[in-house]
Amino acid sequence: MSGLAQSQGATAVSGVVPALAHAVEVRQIGPVTMILGDALEVLPDLRGCADLICSDVPYELTKGGKGKPGDGSMQGKFSAETYENDGNLFADMVHWREMGGPMYRAGKPRAQAYIMANARNLSAAQEGFLGAGWRFHNLLPWEKKNALPNRQYMMNCEFALYLFKGKAKTIARPGDKQLIKGAIAAGKIHPTQKPVWLMGHYITNSCDTKGMVLDPFAGSGSTLVAAMLSGRQAIGIEANPEYFEAACARLERVHSGGSSHEDRF
């Protein structure tokens, strides 16, 4: 990684990350490599690197979820004060059809993947990833303890597409059920931040301790924190400089032993 910026005092992971022609900045924080840059530009530099890809990707939301200011009908990231009801919660939205191929090529020959999506995006997500060569293992619902207000059924579930390439592998805990229940992340840095325990559940089932985890849309770094806490190496890519800095600070804190209650599982 010569010529690329790294955090002071970081320990390099020898031979893990190749030369990165499209990275704006690279920081090594313990076993985690954080890359500031556009995922679709950086991923070709990571060809064949990952044993597991685990990511909550920045997909376009469906219009129709906005209340009136102050009425409390839609809250959090969908409140009328913060969301314009245009489907674009982030500036760096990526279409499903653009993600699957670069992630597929970044995976090793028997890589697995967990890709988060909501109910309305499942069809487009499967089309985008299966069309790129990924094979479908399972659909894994996450039942949250809270529900998102809605005029029809209250929405209290998200989903992980569990995918693979090459020959299928047995997970570490084959007795685990499809449905997993648990709380959302507390003290969010990112509007769609996933809890560390959830990403840790996927990582420890599908990546051994010598494996490499990749999150091309790292956000606040939950996947990377889970990888670090579980003893895996990981690579995270984040295009937004503010979230990149927040994720790096969070990882530095966890690496130094100062993790919060949220950053455990």
Side-chain angles (χ1 to χ4, degrees):
M1 292 185 291
S2 132
L4 297 173
Q6 292 183 314
S7 58
Q8 292 184 351
T11 304
V13 181
S14 176
V16 171
V17 181
L20 297 168
H22 298 93
V24 176
E25 182 178 352
V26 178
R27 296 186 197 175
Q28 193 68 45
I29 306 168
V32 176
T33 304
M34 275 297 298
I35 302 167
L36 176 62
D38 184 299
L40 298 185
E41 295 178 357
V42 174
L43 281 170
D45 295 335
L46 298 173
R47 195 178 190 96
C49 277
D51 295 281
L52 175 66
I53 299 173
C54 189
S55 190
D56 181 25
V57 301
Y59 53 83
E60 184 176 6
L61 300 170
T62 301
K63 298 176 184 179
K66 180 182 179 181
K68 297 178 180 179
D71 70 358
S73 61
M74 300 297 286
Q75 301 171 7
K77 61 180 178 286
F78 293 114
S79 68
E81 291 78 10
T82 59
Y83 179 54
E84 293 299 326
N85 194 24
D86 57 3
N88 297 315
L89 190 61
F90 308 108
D92 55 350
M93 292 293 177
V94 181
H95 291 291
W96 290 108
R97 63 180 178 271
E98 298 176 308
M99 305 179 198
M103 290 194 205
Y104 183 88
R105 291 182 286 276
K108 292 181 181 179
R110 296 183 68 189
Q112 299 181 71
Y114 293 88
I115 305 300
M116 303 300 297
N118 63 12
R120 290 184 181 273
N121 276 273
L122 286 176
S123 178
Q126 289 192 62
E127 182 179 349
F129 276 79
L130 300 188
W134 288 101
R135 300 170 68 187
F136 180 79
H137 252 322
N138 216 325
L139 180 64
L140 307 177
W142 165 37
E143 182 182 327
K144 309 172 190 179
K145 290 184 177 180
N146 66 319
L148 184 66
N150 190 277
R151 290 176 295 173
Q152 286 80 40
Y153 291 97
M154 298 283 279
M155 294 185 289
N156 69 326
C157 288
E158 286 188 47
F159 303 87
L161 285 175
Y162 176 33
L163 310 169
F164 71 106
K165 59 186 286 191
K167 186 178 179 181
K169 299 178 182 179
T170 302
I171 61 174
R173 300 181 301 276
D176 284 356
K177 306 295 192 299
Q178 285 177 292
L179 176 65
I180 186 169
K181 300 180 181 182
I184 62 172
K188 288 185 178 182
I189 302 168
H190 188 281
T192 63
Q193 183 171 320
K194 295 299 176 283
V196 169
W197 69 263
L198 179 65
M199 311 318 275
H201 174 77
Y202 299 144
I203 289 169
T204 55
N205 245 341
S206 292
C207 183
D208 64 36
T209 54
K210 295 181 180 179
M212 173 63 73
V213 178
L214 170 63
D215 186 351
F217 303 98
S220 62
S222 292
T223 298
L224 309 172
V225 169
M228 179 181 283
L229 290 172
S230 63
R232 275 76 173 168
Q233 295 179 332
I235 301 170
I237 306 169
E238 177 51 45
N240 184 301
E242 291 185 11
Y243 290 135
F244 173 80
E245 292 294 342
C248 286
R250 188 179 179 191
L251 288 162
E252 292 280 11
R253 190 164 56 248
V254 172
H255 187 51
S256 66
S259 60
S260 65
H261 177 73
E262 163 63 21
D263 295 334
R264 302 175 190 172
F265 71 92

